[in-house]
Amino acid sequence: MRDKILAGNWKMNKTFGEAEELIDEIADQLSKKPVNSDVQIIICPPFPYLEMIRDLSEECDIQVGAQNLSQFEAGAYTGEVSAAMLSSMQIGYCIIGHSERRQYFGETDEIIAAKIKQALNEDIFPIFCCGENLTERESGRHFEVVQKQVEAALSDLPADKAYMIIIAYEPVWAIGTGKVASPEQAQEMHAFIRKLVAYKFGEEFAENLSILYGGSCNPSNAAELFKQPDVDGGLIGGASLKAADFIKIAHSFPEDK
Ligand code: PEP
């Protein structure tokens, strides 16, 4: 059975005190109403809060992830944070290739592939994001675009670490817009991604790969999305900033999947 994963991407939100309050609230709600043991919760706060969130979430089995890491190993790269730094702080996950990084920070498929390799070298699970924009969807090129992104990300992965990759399908037109993909649209793309992965790494590998959906996922649409056979969880932006909403989403996984 594949891992079910719910990851919260806090992006560049919350002051230190607000972040403390939010993680306390999430931990408190989880202790009152725990999620199924097969659901892994990951919180991805801004860099400066990683240590605090890691310490405060230890008791409640929440994993911690970063939102980015450097494509370089170490050295004179002012402002960058390396995979080795994260792993030395026991940060086990990292979002890589988010569309906002592609859009505002010029991340290309090549840079993203290099970041995935850095993460794997340090045994950090990459949450690799892919997804088409609105023009690409409306012109019917969404499969082609996602295929290119996925193939670039998976090219040249170290065979013994490839199993660590987690893919998040995040249609750009759905991110932060309130316009969620329909369960059918999500399922269709997730099944397509799984096929691509099977082609490269084999059926068994693809069957074990967790593919998350991201883009305006909230407590009222999560259950329908998570019911889809190839949707293994979610990467949640806006709704991860409110403990009650995030916890409701965490309880939206079907029992029988
Ligand atoms: C995201 O940015 O990863 C995301 C899914 O955002 P939102 O849930 O706010 O659409």
Side-chain angles (χ1 to χ4, degrees):
M1 223 204 305
R2 293 192 280 274
D3 291 337
K4 295 174 188 164
I5 297 173
L6 185 69
N9 175 11
W10 287 4
K11 309 193 188 191
M12 196 174 74
N13 290 298
K14 305 281 176 194
T15 61
F16 191 84
E18 289 166 349
E20 266 182 319
E21 265 174 43
L22 178 56
I23 195 66
D24 275 347
E25 235 183 289
I26 290 173
D28 181 54
Q29 294 197 23
L30 280 177
S31 70
K32 288 182 184 138
K33 195 176 174 206
V35 289
N36 287 343
S37 55
D38 60 349
V39 176
Q40 181 61 66
I41 296 187
I42 306 165
I43 299 285
C44 302
F47 281 132
Y49 310 158
L50 282 169
E51 192 178 6
M52 177 271 286
I53 300 289
R54 182 202 65 198
D55 291 347
L56 292 182
S57 59
E58 240 160 35
E59 304 275 295
C60 53
D61 200 25
I62 290 176
Q63 299 296 314
V64 183
Q67 298 172 17
N68 182 31
L69 51 70
S70 176
Q71 69 265 43
F72 303 111
E73 200 175 320
Y77 300 103
T78 301
E80 289 290 278
V81 173
S82 73
M85 291 172 185
L86 296 174
S87 84
S88 72
M89 295 172 63
Q90 294 82 49
I91 302 303
Y93 295 82
C94 186
I95 297 171
I96 295 182
H98 192 282
S99 63
E100 289 151 14
R101 303 276 336 155
R102 291 180 189 261
Q103 185 180 351
Y104 303 124
F105 302 97
E107 289 195 10
T108 60
D109 285 343
E110 291 67 32
I111 293 174
I112 290 163
K115 290 185 176 203
I116 291 173
K117 271 183 223 133
Q118 291 293 343
L120 293 177
N121 281 342
E122 292 295 334
D123 293 324
I124 293 171
F125 288 84
I127 304 174
F128 158 67
C129 303
C130 58
E132 79 287 355
N133 65 30
L134 189 59
T135 315
E136 291 159 345
R137 161 81 44 182
E138 286 178 346
S139 59
R141 291 190 298 120
H142 41 297
F143 291 116
E144 181 196 321
V145 168
V146 169
Q147 177 165 1
K148 182 172 170 287
Q149 293 172 344
V150 171
E151 286 179 349
L154 300 184
S155 69
D156 216 17
L157 287 190
D160 59 328
K161 301 272 181 81
Y163 76 92
M164 294 181 73
I165 199 152
I166 297 162
I167 297 185
Y169 168 57
E170 298 208 303
V172 181
W173 48 269
I175 296 180
T177 58
K179 202 174 160 197
V180 65
S182 68
E184 295 73 27
Q185 285 172 322
Q187 168 55 26
E188 180 182 49
M189 186 59 88
H190 284 224
F192 175 74
I193 293 170
R194 203 176 300 285
K195 269 213 193 90
L196 287 176
V197 173
Y199 185 71
K200 181 156 173 73
F201 290 108
E203 290 289 342
E204 194 185 336
F205 182 101
E207 269 311 304
N208 289 322
L209 169 78
S210 296
I211 308 179
L212 318 183
Y213 168 79
S216 296
C217 186
N218 63 37
S220 56
N221 58 35
E224 276 308 308
L225 287 160
F226 295 173
K227 251 192 231 163
Q228 303 306 309
D230 286 289
V231 177
D232 306 309
L235 176 55
I236 315 299
S240 72
L241 296 170
K242 291 188 192 131
D245 284 357
F246 189 62
I247 298 301
K248 274 187 206 143
I249 297 173
H251 286 108
S252 300
F253 286 89
E255 295 284 342
D256 55 346
K257 196 177 141 198

